[in-house]
Amino acid sequence: MPTTNALTALKHQLLAECRRIQEEKVNTARQAMLDVQESALEGDTAEEAMESFREVCQRQRDLFARQLDEALTGLQVLRRVPEAKPLPNQAGLGSVVITDSQRFYVSLSLGEIKVEGQPYFALSAFSPLYQAMAEAHSGDTFTFRGKAYRIKEIL
């Protein structure tokens, strides 16, 4: 078991990496939205073709706006992680769950992230994988999609 300082540092690093990835998603969606909007305003084509082009651009802009909204919502979730107080020995927002085959960080569904060269799988508390492990404690086994995981430690 890591020391309290090492555990705090690990959680800060995991949270910082998740924030970095999520902020990148926000910036990408925002820039894509602006680029499409700019494209819609450019061009000297025939009136009808231009109107059709603007409609396509508007749909793309709306798509990027939804992506931006989802990314901003994800950042709001990450802002709540430091205040989360999961139950002792039970996975919750901000927990690190170490199993016999993988390390999980309960935050957002971001897939694999690396901290200090170690892979962690960032998952949401709403994901089916989290739901499978939610009631388990250290030493328990849970199954997800036919695969059994034994929880070694919940930090």
Side-chain angles (χ1 to χ4, degrees):
M1 172 126 183
T3 66
T4 303
N5 288 343
L7 175 59
T8 301
L10 171 65
K11 287 187 173 187
H12 282 300
Q13 289 174 312
L14 287 164
L15 181 57
E17 181 62 9
C18 287
R19 280 187 179 144
R20 184 194 67 74
I21 292 167
Q22 198 64 20
E23 285 169 358
E24 194 173 285
K25 287 182 177 189
V26 166
N27 293 336
T28 299
R30 185 175 285 135
Q31 188 59 51
M33 202 172 79
L34 292 172
D35 290 348
V36 168
Q37 201 166 347
E38 191 176 298
S39 291
L41 300 174
E42 294 176 351
D44 292 326
T45 60
E47 183 76 25
E48 224 173 88
M50 189 61 181
E51 195 56 40
S52 176
F53 176 70
R54 283 190 181 129
E55 287 175 25
V56 169
C57 287
Q58 182 62 39
R59 284 194 297 273
Q60 286 180 325
R61 187 204 150 304
D62 291 348
L63 171 74
F64 292 129
R66 282 191 299 276
Q67 289 175 353
L68 176 60
D69 186 53
E70 288 172 13
L72 289 169
T73 300
L75 279 177
Q76 289 175 346
V77 170
L78 291 175
R79 284 187 193 106
R80 290 194 307 262
V81 169
E83 295 132 22
K85 304 287 184 229
L87 295 174
N89 196 30
Q90 194 166 352
L93 187 63
S95 295
V96 176
V97 180
I98 300 172
T99 69
D100 54 351
S101 62
Q102 202 164 4
R103 298 166 187 253
F104 300 98
Y105 179 56
V106 183
S107 54
L108 286 182
S109 291
L110 296 174
E112 186 177 292
I113 61 174
K114 288 196 178 196
V115 169
E116 294 184 358
Q118 289 289 327
Y120 292 83
F121 191 83
L123 72 151
S124 164
F126 298 105
S127 70
L129 177 56
Y130 173 78
Q131 296 303 316
M133 75 170 69
E135 300 296 318
H137 299 83
S138 292
D140 290 350
T141 300
F142 69 93
T143 304
F144 180 70
R145 293 189 180 158
K147 181 177 180 183
Y149 295 84
R150 189 179 64 74
I151 298 177
K152 292 180 171 182
E153 200 170 13
I154 299 176
L155 311 171

